[in-house]
Amino acid sequence: MSSGKVILEQADQDLLVRMVMDGFRRIIVHYGAWFAEVEHQVGLEKALAVEDDVWQASVGNQLDRLGKTLDFPTEGGIPAVLKTLPKEVLADLIEKLSINWLANDGIWFQAVENRFGMGDAKRCNDTCWTRFSPFEAARIKKLLDLPEAGGIPALKRALGLRMYAFINEQSIEEVNDHCIIFYMNNCRVQAARKRKGLADYPCKSAGMVEYPTFAQTIDPRIKTECVGCPPDDHPDNWFCAWKFILEE
């Protein structure tokens, strides 16, 4: 018997529970480390394609394996219970996942800021958006089966499925067939700061990465202009606004 199995047999309940949670943690970090390194080695576009292959091959196997131990059935690599839940419960679950995503982002930012200062935290944050924003766009593009050159209509649909869309308030102004202006009317992060009497968080540097890379992943012909984003002044009915223009 391997030494690891001996340790498991001798471990108490508390250690085993903590090891289970740590196992999930290691898988998540290792997955992200692989994606970051593949992106570094072969570029983002190819890394996105590789990640899609990995997810399809990996997640189903993982859930099937866990299902056998925890006694929950799976169908096509998905926990079967998800397919039985009412639509309103699934919608609530998606909202909670979005809140968890945002909270996780904020915790990372604060942890880096506390150790190294605001400058390093903003630099790390902005760089993370160079990977996450196109990744999110690629996932939405596949979920909605959007065409490669879907133009403004495809972008409008994609903006409605971002994690932000389920927890913030946003709207779109139709300028013409080739141009829209996207407004973040209420932002959970900025609204929380406002309630505490704090100034807006200066998120423009992140937005200048986030929005152009998202739009260009949906359709490379789409160009992005910042209408306004903190620390810019803005009216009371929106925190940031972005113009998207289709250039033929």
Side-chain angles (χ1 to χ4, degrees):
M1 183 179 295
S2 69
S3 59
K5 290 185 177 180
V6 172
I7 292 173
L8 291 180
E9 287 185 356
Q10 297 175 348
D12 60 22
Q13 181 84 1
D14 178 67
L15 176 58
L16 291 172
V17 169
R18 288 188 290 119
M19 288 181 66
V20 168
M21 296 306 297
D22 205 67
F24 285 112
R25 180 178 181 176
R26 294 182 211 181
I27 291 171
I28 292 169
V29 171
H30 197 204
Y31 192 98
W34 260 106
F35 180 74
E37 183 57 24
V38 174
E39 186 269 342
H40 174 69
Q41 295 291 340
V42 302
L44 182 60
E45 184 175 355
K46 292 179 180 178
L48 289 172
V50 172
E51 188 279 334
D52 192 43
D53 292 342
V54 170
W55 181 262
Q56 297 298 328
S58 178
V59 70
N61 286 338
Q62 292 188 47
L63 288 171
D64 288 343
R65 196 172 292 113
L66 294 176
K68 291 176 182 177
T69 298
L70 299 176
D71 194 26
F72 65 82
T74 59
E75 294 179 11
I78 298 172
V81 66
L82 289 178
K83 298 183 178 182
T84 68
L85 294 175
K87 289 176 61 177
E88 58 269 21
V89 174
L90 289 170
D92 185 61
L93 181 58
I94 292 168
E95 180 181 343
K96 295 303 187 294
L97 287 169
S98 300
I99 294 172
N100 284 352
W101 163 78
L102 183 62
N104 182 66
D105 180 69
I107 290 168
W108 262 108
F109 190 100
Q110 290 172 14
V112 176
E113 181 184 8
N114 290 340
R115 285 181 178 266
F116 310 113
M118 175 66 78
D120 282 343
K122 284 181 62 64
R123 185 162 56 251
C124 290
N125 178 60
D126 296 357
T127 301
C128 282
W129 278 110
T130 67
R131 293 189 177 106
F132 181 76
S133 193
F135 173 78
E136 185 177 37
R139 294 307 315 138
I140 294 171
K141 194 172 184 177
K142 187 153 190 173
L143 282 168
L144 295 178
D145 194 23
L146 297 175
E148 286 302 313
I152 295 298
L155 178 62
K156 285 171 57 180
R157 293 187 66 195
L159 288 168
L161 257 68
R162 297 190 67 204
M163 302 289 268
Y164 271 139
F166 307 117
I167 54 179
N168 288 349
E169 295 175 13
Q170 56 190 47
S171 61
I172 292 176
E173 175 188 347
E174 305 265 2
V175 178
N176 55 51
D177 290 342
H178 300 285
C179 178
I180 59 172
I181 300 177
F182 172 87
Y183 297 98
M184 190 64 77
N185 301 108
N186 192 28
C187 170
R188 287 178 71 97
V189 172
Q190 303 289 22
R193 292 180 64 86
K194 189 174 182 179
R195 288 194 300 271
K196 295 175 182 177
L198 300 173
D200 289 341
Y201 169 70
C203 55
K204 186 173 183 177
S205 62
M208 292 299 294
V209 176
E210 171 189 351
Y211 286 96
T213 56
F214 185 92
Q216 290 200 313
T217 303
I218 298 300
D219 189 327
R221 300 173 299 167
I222 298 176
K223 306 301 179 185
T224 305
E225 296 178 4
C226 180
V227 177
C229 184
D232 298 340
D233 292 332
H234 60 84
D236 290 337
N237 62 333
W238 54 263
F239 282 100
C240 70
W242 304 86
K243 179 182 287 188
F244 300 104
I245 304 163
L246 180 68
E247 295 187 349
E248 298 287 356

